[in-house]
Amino acid sequence: AQTVTQSQPEMSVQEAETVTLSCTYDTSESDYYLFWYKQPPSRQMILVIRQEAYKQQNATENRFSVNFQKAAKSFSLKISDSQLGDAAMYFCAYLSGSRLTFGEGTQLTVNP
Amino acid sequence: GAVVSQHPSWVICKSGTSVKIECRSLDFQATTMFWYRQFPKQSLMLMATSNEGSKATYEQGVEKDKFLINHASLTLSTLTVTSAHPEDSSFYICSAQQPGQGFNSPLHFGNGTRLTVT
């Protein structure tokens, strides 16, 4: 079974600074997708960024980028120029077929 | 973009009663929908996978007689919590898989339902 691990229960960053959230996963499959979801206090799950395992190039979405290391099974999220609205719980997730497995989450605080 | 509507957003019910939660895909047909449960400050745990026109597949440890799932159409799945007890109080979230985009089609989430059993 696939497992996803987020080793940082909480992280904080100063506004306008950069922060990196860690995620590792375990799988024996070669075809899968990885995601970062943001869950603000409203509890709505918001897709931040996705990465296809077969792509070597790291995905980027504006201020959000990932460092995907397939051999190491690592998938970290970098948030640049952090904004107050980035404060939320962030979940790393692994998708293979229809099954989406989430990590434990990292609570990000952005300090003004 | 694809929208998934979940209703109600919050519900309070008395112990022993049943409550139904609806999950609708508004602008696409979802052959597969998923139900998750989330306790405060914890991750989302998959409860069951709902396939249109067939029985749901439940995760280990989830009581299928307590959490009844029906997926009668391509746009609607329902989760009924039967004989609810206070320990069933939680946040329930559905997601729908948008087909036609490959093996790993994207998932779209509803806004969730906060259930409180008194």
Side-chain angles (χ1 to χ4, degrees):
Chain A
Q2 292 80 23
T3 58
V4 179
T5 302
Q6 293 177 248
S7 59
Q8 307 154 314
E10 299 178 346
M11 290 284 285
S12 63
V13 63
Q14 289 297 125
E15 193 175 6
E17 297 295 312
T18 296
V19 65
T20 299
L21 308 184
S22 301
C23 173
T24 59
Y25 59 96
D26 186 26
T27 184
S28 58
E29 299 176 339
S30 59
D31 185 22
Y32 53 88
Y33 282 66
L34 296 164
F35 302 86
W36 279 98
Y37 283 92
K38 168 185 177 181
Q39 188 180 44
S42 67
R43 313 273 314 247
Q44 171 70 43
M45 294 294 285
I46 301 168
L47 178 62
V48 175
I49 197 166
R50 65 184 270 170
Q51 173 81 43
E52 294 90 335
Y54 63 86
K55 289 188 177 179
Q56 293 184 340
Q57 186 173 6
N58 290 324
T60 61
E61 286 288 341
N62 300 313
R63 299 183 295 106
F64 299 88
S65 61
V66 298
N67 184 2
F68 174 48
Q69 302 291 327
K70 190 172 184 179
K73 296 178 182 175
S74 171
F75 182 61
S76 61
L77 174 69
K78 186 172 78 172
I79 305 174
S80 304
D81 186 25
S82 298
Q83 300 176 0
L84 295 178
D86 295 333
M89 179 72 86
Y90 286 80
F91 291 101
C92 177
Y94 171 104
L95 175 68
S96 179
S98 298
R99 188 179 181 83
L100 189 63
T101 302
F102 289 91
E104 305 92 331
T106 298
Q107 181 68 51
L108 178 66
T109 301
V110 181
N111 301 310
Chain B
V3 176
V4 175
S5 174
Q6 190 171 340
H7 178 81
S9 56
W10 60 271
V11 59
I12 301 173
C13 71
K14 292 186 176 181
S15 185
T17 63
S18 296
V19 60
K20 180 184 287 186
I21 303 170
E22 294 186 348
C23 180
R24 295 180 183 272
S25 56
L26 297 185
D27 52 0
F28 66 97
Q29 293 183 327
T31 53
T32 305
M33 292 185 173
F34 306 87
W35 289 95
Y36 299 85
R37 184 173 182 175
Q38 185 181 28
F39 290 106
K41 300 188 183 300
Q42 294 188 23
S43 187
L44 281 74
M45 300 301 299
L46 180 65
M47 297 175 65
T49 302
S50 169
N51 295 299
E52 186 268 336
S54 64
K55 291 183 178 180
T57 301
Y58 290 82
E59 295 298 303
Q60 190 173 6
V62 177
E63 300 176 60
K64 62 181 181 180
D65 294 331
K66 179 166 191 60
F67 299 100
L68 300 179
I69 291 173
N70 182 278
H71 195 156
S73 76
L74 287 172
T75 59
L76 174 64
S77 176
T78 59
L79 168 67
T80 300
V81 182
T82 63
S83 186
H85 292 285
E87 56 265 32
D88 298 325
S89 299
S90 189
F91 192 69
Y92 294 88
I93 308 176
C94 72
S95 71
Q97 188 166 35
Q98 190 171 7
Q101 299 190 30
F103 184 61
N104 291 296
S105 296
L107 298 174
H108 305 281
F109 286 86
N111 286 340
T113 297
R114 183 180 302 279
L115 170 64
T116 301
V117 184
T118 61

Coordinates of all heavy atoms in Angstrom, one line a residue, chain B residues 82-117:
Chain B
T82 N -26.4 6.0 9.4 CA -27.6 5.5 10.0 C -27.3 5.3 11.5 O -26.2 5.1 12.0 CB -27.9 4.1 9.4 OG1 -26.8 3.2 9.7 CG2 -28.1 4.2 7.9
S83 N -28.4 5.5 12.3 CA -28.4 5.4 13.7 C -27.1 6.1 14.2 O -26.2 5.5 14.9 CB -28.3 3.9 14.1 OG -28.4 3.8 15.5
A84 N -27.1 7.4 14.0 CA -25.9 8.2 14.3 C -25.6 8.2 15.8 O -26.6 8.3 16.6 CB -26.0 9.6 13.7
H85 N -24.4 8.3 16.2 CA -24.0 8.4 17.6 C -23.0 9.5 17.7 O -22.4 9.9 16.6 CB -23.4 7.1 18.1 CG -24.4 6.0 18.2 ND1 -25.3 5.9 19.2 CD2 -24.6 4.9 17.4 CE1 -26.1 4.9 19.1 NE2 -25.7 4.2 18.0
P86 N -22.8 10.1 18.8 CA -21.8 11.2 19.0 C -20.4 10.9 18.4 O -19.8 11.8 17.9 CB -21.8 11.4 20.5 CG -23.1 11.0 21.0 CD -23.5 9.8 20.1
E87 N -20.0 9.7 18.4 CA -18.7 9.4 17.8 C -18.6 9.5 16.3 O -17.6 9.5 15.7 CB -18.2 8.0 18.3 CG -19.1 6.9 17.9 CD -20.0 6.5 19.1 OE1 -20.4 7.4 19.9 OE2 -20.4 5.3 19.2
D88 N -19.8 9.6 15.7 CA -19.9 9.8 14.2 C -19.7 11.3 13.9 O -19.6 11.6 12.7 CB -21.2 9.3 13.7 CG -21.4 7.8 13.9 OD1 -20.4 7.1 13.9 OD2 -22.5 7.4 14.2
S89 N -19.7 12.1 14.9 CA -19.5 13.6 14.6 C -18.2 13.7 13.9 O -17.1 13.3 14.5 CB -19.6 14.4 15.9 OG -20.9 14.2 16.5
S90 N -18.2 14.4 12.8 CA -16.9 14.6 12.1 C -17.2 15.5 10.9 O -18.3 16.0 10.7 CB -16.4 13.2 11.6 OG -15.1 13.3 11.0
F91 N -16.2 15.7 10.1 CA -16.3 16.4 8.8 C -16.2 15.4 7.7 O -15.3 14.6 7.6 CB -15.2 17.4 8.7 CG -15.3 18.4 7.6 CD1 -16.3 19.4 7.7 CD2 -14.5 18.4 6.5 CE1 -16.5 20.3 6.7 CE2 -14.6 19.4 5.5 CZ -15.6 20.3 5.6
Y92 N -17.2 15.4 6.9 CA -17.3 14.4 5.7 C -17.1 15.2 4.4 O -17.8 16.2 4.2 CB -18.6 13.7 5.8 CG -18.8 12.8 7.0 CD1 -19.3 13.3 8.2 CD2 -18.4 11.4 6.9 CE1 -19.4 12.5 9.3 CE2 -18.5 10.6 8.1 CZ -19.0 11.2 9.2 OH -19.1 10.4 10.3
I93 N -16.2 14.7 3.6 CA -16.0 15.4 2.3 C -16.1 14.4 1.2 O -15.6 13.2 1.3 CB -14.5 16.0 2.3 CG1 -14.2 16.8 3.5 CG2 -14.3 16.8 1.0 CD1 -12.8 17.3 3.5
C94 N -16.7 14.8 0.1 CA -16.8 13.9 -1.1 C -15.9 14.5 -2.2 O -15.6 15.7 -2.2 CB -18.2 13.8 -1.6 SG -18.9 15.3 -2.4
S95 N -15.5 13.6 -3.1 CA -14.8 14.1 -4.3 C -15.3 13.3 -5.4 O -15.8 12.1 -5.3 CB -13.3 14.0 -4.1 OG -12.9 12.6 -4.1
A96 N -15.2 13.8 -6.6 CA -15.6 13.2 -7.8 C -14.5 13.2 -8.8 O -13.8 14.1 -9.0 CB -16.9 13.9 -8.4
Q97 N -14.4 12.1 -9.5 CA -13.4 11.9 -10.5 C -13.9 12.3 -11.9 O -14.9 11.7 -12.3 CB -12.8 10.5 -10.5 CG -11.6 10.4 -11.4 CD -10.8 9.1 -11.1 OE1 -11.4 8.0 -10.8 NE2 -9.5 9.1 -11.3
Q98 N -13.3 13.2 -12.5 CA -13.7 13.6 -13.8 C -13.1 12.7 -14.9 O -11.9 12.6 -15.0 CB -13.2 15.0 -14.1 CG -13.8 15.7 -15.4 CD -13.5 17.1 -15.5 OE1 -12.7 17.7 -14.7 NE2 -14.1 17.8 -16.4
P99 N -14.0 11.9 -15.6 CA -13.4 10.9 -16.5 C -12.9 11.5 -17.8 O -13.1 12.7 -18.1 CB -14.7 10.0 -16.8 CG -15.8 11.0 -16.6 CD -15.4 12.0 -15.6
G100 N -12.3 10.7 -18.6 CA -11.9 11.1 -19.9 C -10.6 11.8 -20.0 O -10.2 12.4 -21.0
Q101 N -9.9 11.7 -18.9 CA -8.6 12.4 -18.9 C -7.5 11.5 -18.5 O -6.5 11.9 -17.9 CB -8.6 13.6 -17.9 CG -9.7 14.6 -18.3 CD -9.6 15.9 -17.5 OE1 -8.5 16.3 -17.1 NE2 -10.7 16.6 -17.3
G102 N -7.7 10.2 -18.8 CA -6.6 9.3 -18.5 C -6.7 8.5 -17.3 O -7.7 8.7 -16.5
F103 N -5.8 7.6 -17.0 CA -5.8 6.7 -15.9 C -5.9 7.5 -14.6 O -6.6 7.0 -13.6 CB -4.6 5.8 -15.9 CG -4.5 4.8 -14.9 CD1 -5.5 3.8 -14.8 CD2 -3.5 4.7 -14.0 CE1 -5.5 2.8 -13.9 CE2 -3.4 3.7 -13.0 CZ -4.4 2.8 -13.0
N104 N -5.2 8.5 -14.5 CA -5.2 9.3 -13.2 C -5.9 10.6 -13.4 O -5.3 11.7 -13.4 CB -3.7 9.6 -12.8 CG -3.0 8.3 -12.4 OD1 -3.4 7.7 -11.4 ND2 -2.0 7.9 -13.1
S105 N -7.2 10.5 -13.6 CA -8.0 11.7 -13.8 C -8.1 12.5 -12.5 O -8.0 12.0 -11.4 CB -9.4 11.3 -14.2 OG -9.4 10.7 -15.5
P106 N -8.2 13.8 -12.7 CA -8.2 14.7 -11.5 C -9.4 14.5 -10.7 O -10.5 14.1 -11.1 CB -8.2 16.1 -12.1 CG -8.8 16.0 -13.5 CD -8.3 14.6 -13.9
L107 N -9.3 14.8 -9.4 CA -10.4 14.7 -8.5 C -10.8 16.2 -8.1 O -10.0 17.0 -7.9 CB -9.9 14.0 -7.2 CG -9.5 12.5 -7.4 CD1 -9.0 11.9 -6.1 CD2 -10.7 11.7 -7.9
H108 N -12.1 16.3 -7.9 CA -12.7 17.6 -7.5 C -13.5 17.4 -6.2 O -14.2 16.5 -6.1 CB -13.6 18.2 -8.6 CG -12.9 18.3 -9.9 ND1 -12.0 19.3 -10.2 CD2 -12.9 17.4 -11.0 CE1 -11.5 19.1 -11.5 NE2 -12.0 18.0 -12.0
F109 N -13.2 18.3 -5.3 CA -13.8 18.1 -3.9 C -15.0 19.0 -3.7 O -15.1 20.1 -4.2 CB -12.7 18.4 -2.9 CG -11.7 17.4 -2.7 CD1 -10.6 17.4 -3.5 CD2 -11.8 16.4 -1.8 CE1 -9.6 16.4 -3.4 CE2 -10.8 15.4 -1.7 CZ -9.7 15.4 -2.5
G110 N -16.0 18.4 -2.9 CA -17.0 19.2 -2.4 C -16.6 20.1 -1.2 O -15.4 19.9 -0.8
N111 N -17.4 20.9 -0.7 CA -17.0 21.8 0.4 C -17.1 21.2 1.7 O -16.8 21.8 2.7 CB -17.9 23.1 0.4 CG -17.5 24.0 -0.8 OD1 -16.4 23.9 -1.3 ND2 -18.4 24.9 -1.1
G112 N -17.6 19.9 1.8 CA -17.6 19.2 3.0 C -18.9 19.4 3.8 O -19.7 20.4 3.6
T113 N -19.2 18.5 4.7 CA -20.3 18.6 5.6 C -19.9 18.3 7.1 O -19.2 17.3 7.3 CB -21.4 17.5 5.3 OG1 -21.9 17.7 3.9 CG2 -22.5 17.5 6.3
R114 N -20.2 19.3 7.9 CA -19.9 19.1 9.3 C -21.0 18.5 10.0 O -22.1 19.1 10.1 CB -19.5 20.4 10.0 CG -19.1 20.3 11.4 CD -18.7 21.6 12.1 NE -17.7 22.3 11.3 CZ -16.4 22.0 11.4 NH1 -16.0 21.1 12.3 NH2 -15.5 22.7 10.7
L115 N -20.9 17.2 10.5 CA -22.0 16.5 11.2 C -21.7 16.6 12.7 O -20.6 16.2 13.1 CB -22.0 15.1 10.7 CG -23.0 14.1 11.5 CD1 -24.4 14.6 11.4 CD2 -22.8 12.7 11.0
T116 N -22.7 17.0 13.4 CA -22.7 17.0 14.9 C -23.8 16.1 15.4 O -25.0 16.4 15.1 CB -22.8 18.4 15.5 OG1 -21.7 19.2 15.0 CG2 -22.7 18.3 17.0
V117 N -23.5 15.1 16.1 CA -24.6 14.2 16.7 C -24.7 14.5 18.2 O -23.7 14.4 18.9 CB -24.2 12.8 16.4 CG1 -25.4 11.9 16.9 CG2 -24.0 12.5 15.0

